[in-house]
Amino acid sequence: MATQLYHVFRTSILKHKTQSETPLKISLRTPRVQEINASLSKSSGRKLLESGQVSAIGSKFAYKAITSDGYILLDVRPPWERERARVVGSLHVPIFVEDKDNNPLTLLKKWVHFGYIGLWTGQYFTTENSEFLGQVENAIPHKDTKLLVACGEGSRSMTAVSKLYNGGYRNLAWLVSGFNSAKDNDFPTVEGKEKLNHATAGGVSYLFLQLFIFLNMKV
């Protein structure tokens, strides 16, 4: 598999060398811009939490928030995590989706990702979902609706909270530490092949490895 990926990457590089360098430079910068935007959104989400403009709800109190306080649980994990385990009745709109771009830099990142992350965590290489806000607006047009935003470990949902707030949603809450922190009885109506707190493969190790790739893939 590694040999095949290397061959694809090398072929793509050689192909681009026969063309103008300008398209190559533009395509290489696009993934970095997406990563920076996601990082800024996460920082903005953290500030919203610190200021109290967005509530923080632990998994122990999440079910009460949904059943008694009128919150809709918004699951922003990618589809492959949700397939493993999900809370029945939750709304699903992924903040990140599988990256199907095949420019040379992305292919190299995928190659590294597969060898060091995807092979043992079951995670695909992802990119920000550019249609996220629009998809949420289609599902929940009334922006005064209470939304409890959740992912696996809390990082991606923080990015989602920022985008939703900037999009006009004001009754937002963030699931502290995500589904990874959920106990067996926190969400009594769960379906899927795995426990909810096991559905995000890789956990903290996955995040550190993603950070390693981000810092080392120089454009």
Side-chain angles (χ1 to χ4, degrees):
M1 175 63 73
T3 301
Q4 293 175 337
L5 288 172
Y6 172 77
H7 177 71
V8 171
F9 171 70
R10 185 174 182 276
T11 301
S12 298
I13 290 290
L14 291 175
K15 179 180 178 181
H16 277 284
K17 282 184 176 180
T18 64
Q19 302 172 353
S20 169
E21 291 186 358
T22 302
L24 177 60
K25 290 181 179 180
I26 293 174
S27 63
L28 288 180
R29 292 185 185 278
T30 301
R32 176 58 60 85
V33 170
Q34 291 174 335
E35 290 166 332
I36 292 174
N37 287 341
S39 178
L40 290 174
S41 294
K42 190 183 301 179
S43 175
S44 176
R46 188 176 295 108
K47 290 178 180 178
L48 290 170
L49 286 162
E50 292 172 351
S51 67
Q53 292 172 286
V54 171
S55 303
I57 298 177
S59 57
K60 182 179 180 180
F61 306 101
Y63 190 67
K64 178 181 180 297
I66 296 168
T67 57
S68 301
D69 299 334
Y71 278 92
I72 293 176
L73 181 60
L74 174 59
D75 184 347
V76 300
R77 297 175 299 163
W80 52 90
E81 288 183 28
R82 184 174 168 84
E83 287 174 2
R84 295 171 186 155
R86 56 202 169 274
V87 177
V88 175
S90 59
L91 174 66
H92 179 230
V93 181
I95 185 67
F96 290 99
V97 293
E98 183 180 358
D99 190 348
K100 297 182 178 180
D101 186 8
N102 288 320
N103 73 60
L105 180 61
T106 304
L107 285 173
L108 179 58
K109 286 187 177 183
K110 288 180 179 180
W111 184 27
V112 175
H113 171 90
F114 178 81
Y116 290 95
I117 301 175
L119 183 63
W120 55 275
T121 66
Q123 289 282 3
Y124 293 91
F125 193 80
T126 60
T127 187
E128 190 173 340
N129 179 11
S130 61
E131 300 178 0
F132 171 74
L133 181 59
Q135 290 171 349
V136 174
E137 289 173 334
N138 286 336
I140 307 176
H142 300 294
K143 295 191 175 181
D144 58 346
T145 302
K146 293 182 176 180
L147 295 178
L148 173 55
V149 188
C151 66
E153 67 293 309
S155 177
R156 293 165 295 182
S157 53
M158 191 173 292
T159 299
V161 160
S162 174
K163 291 187 175 296
L164 291 168
Y165 188 87
N166 291 336
Y169 291 91
R170 289 296 182 266
N171 293 321
L172 298 172
W174 172 69
L175 184 66
V176 179
S177 299
F179 293 127
N180 283 3
S181 65
K183 306 300 182 184
D184 288 345
N185 296 324
D186 286 346
F187 297 94
T189 53
V190 176
E191 60 184 8
K193 297 179 180 180
E194 300 181 21
K195 289 186 176 182
L196 190 61
N197 60 347
H198 294 165
T200 302
V204 175
S205 297
Y206 169 71
L207 293 176
F208 275 115
L209 284 167
Q210 284 284 46
L211 178 61
F212 172 82
I213 291 176
F214 173 77
L215 293 175
N216 284 276
M217 302 308 286
K218 304 296 184 181
V219 177

